[in-house]
Amino acid sequence: MAECPTLTTERLVLRPFRVDDLDHLHAIMTTPEVRASLHLPAEFSMDGAWRAMLSLSGLWALRDLGQWAIEERGSGRFVGRAGLHWRPEDDWPGVEVGWMLDPAAWGLGYATEAGQRAVRYGFDQLAQDALYSLILPENTRSQAVAERLGFTPYEERVLAHFPSQAHMVWRLGRAD
Ligand SMILES: CC(C)(COP(=O)(O)OP(=O)(O)OC[C@H]1O[C@@H](n2cnc3c(N)ncnc32)[C@H](O)[C@@H]1OP(=O)(O)O)[C@@H](O)C(=O)NCCC(=O)NCCS
């Protein structure tokens, strides 16, 4: 059973979630930009943010992987989350790399910087042969992050947990 490690990059601290992140996480998840990208309901509640945080944190205990809370090194400001994800359904391709930032912190390269560290963790610590990212076709900003990290489109797939629309499965092999 792994604990979420604290990692640093040039401009960011990737650390475990804390209870006092909840208000910030909820504020980010209720911005119109993030709600639209993640198809969250207009009335997305504090309870929804709390459950999201529990599930992101709980993966570390259950699967030895998960996402990190992202803090700016300079200011200590909570700017979002990024890291690794996994679901138990048969159609889930493997270990996923994902990201979500406060729109106030878009356009700074933070998702790419955190994503790079998560990719390294997936290959070095988790010994994965390939990593995946599941992105809706309309989410061009997320696709751009995946491309900057070296992922390439692999196949379109309708996932059991999100049946309304096909996701593109992006893939990055260890050798790539
Ligand atoms: C997806 C998401 C994280 C992308 O955020 P982003 O800020 O566009 O991506 P990055 O943090 O990598 O920043 C890249 C941008 O910063 C710029 N940039 C500035 N300084 C930079 C630096 N030092 N290094 C890299 N890029 C830098 C890049 O040129 C690029 O700008 P552009 O958007 O004008 O092309 C964000 O849109 C988001 O949170 N969306 C909602 C949640 C979501 O959809 N998650 C993914 C689900 S699949």
Side-chain angles (χ1 to χ4, degrees):
M1 182 162 128
E3 279 189 22
C4 174
T6 296
L7 308 173
T8 50
T9 65
E10 191 189 338
R11 297 175 295 167
L12 306 171
V13 179
L14 308 183
R15 60 153 178 81
F17 277 94
R18 300 191 302 246
V19 172
D20 64 2
D21 294 327
L22 181 61
D23 285 347
H24 303 294
L25 184 68
H26 181 251
I28 293 172
M29 293 179 84
T30 50
T31 58
E33 296 91 330
V34 170
R35 274 201 302 103
S37 303
L38 299 183
H39 291 234
L40 299 175
E43 67 285 1
F44 187 75
S45 64
M46 193 63 87
D47 184 57
W50 175 238
R51 285 167 188 272
M53 202 161 110
L54 288 176
S55 117
L56 295 164
S57 305
L59 258 183
W60 284 104
L62 295 174
R63 274 301 315 258
D64 296 347
L65 58 83
Q67 296 225 353
W68 288 269
I70 308 176
E71 249 180 46
E72 261 179 351
R73 272 176 83 165
S75 66
R77 179 170 69 122
F78 176 92
V79 292
R81 61 159 174 81
L84 303 160
H85 192 55
W86 177 85
R87 292 182 62 98
E89 291 91 1
D90 289 342
D91 60 7
W92 195 255
V95 174
E96 186 201 18
V97 186
W99 32 75
M100 182 199 79
L101 292 177
D102 185 337
W106 290 11
L108 300 172
Y110 286 171
T112 302
E113 188 168 320
Q116 257 161 2
R117 189 64 190 87
V119 163
R120 184 141 69 86
Y121 194 91
F123 287 134
D124 294 354
Q125 257 71 39
L126 304 179
Q128 296 296 298
D129 289 328
L131 298 168
Y132 301 88
S133 197
L134 304 169
I135 306 178
L136 289 170
E138 78 238 13
N139 196 340
T140 52
R141 291 195 83 101
S142 189
Q143 288 161 24
V145 178
E147 273 173 358
R148 280 191 287 274
L149 295 175
F151 285 78
T152 51
Y154 177 58
E155 66 176 36
E156 222 177 47
R157 204 180 274 194
V158 178
L159 298 158
H161 83 282
F162 194 101
S164 59
Q165 210 181 331
H167 277 77
M168 176 57 75
V169 179
W170 293 68
R171 182 182 185 279
L172 176 67
R174 175 183 283 278
D176 310 331

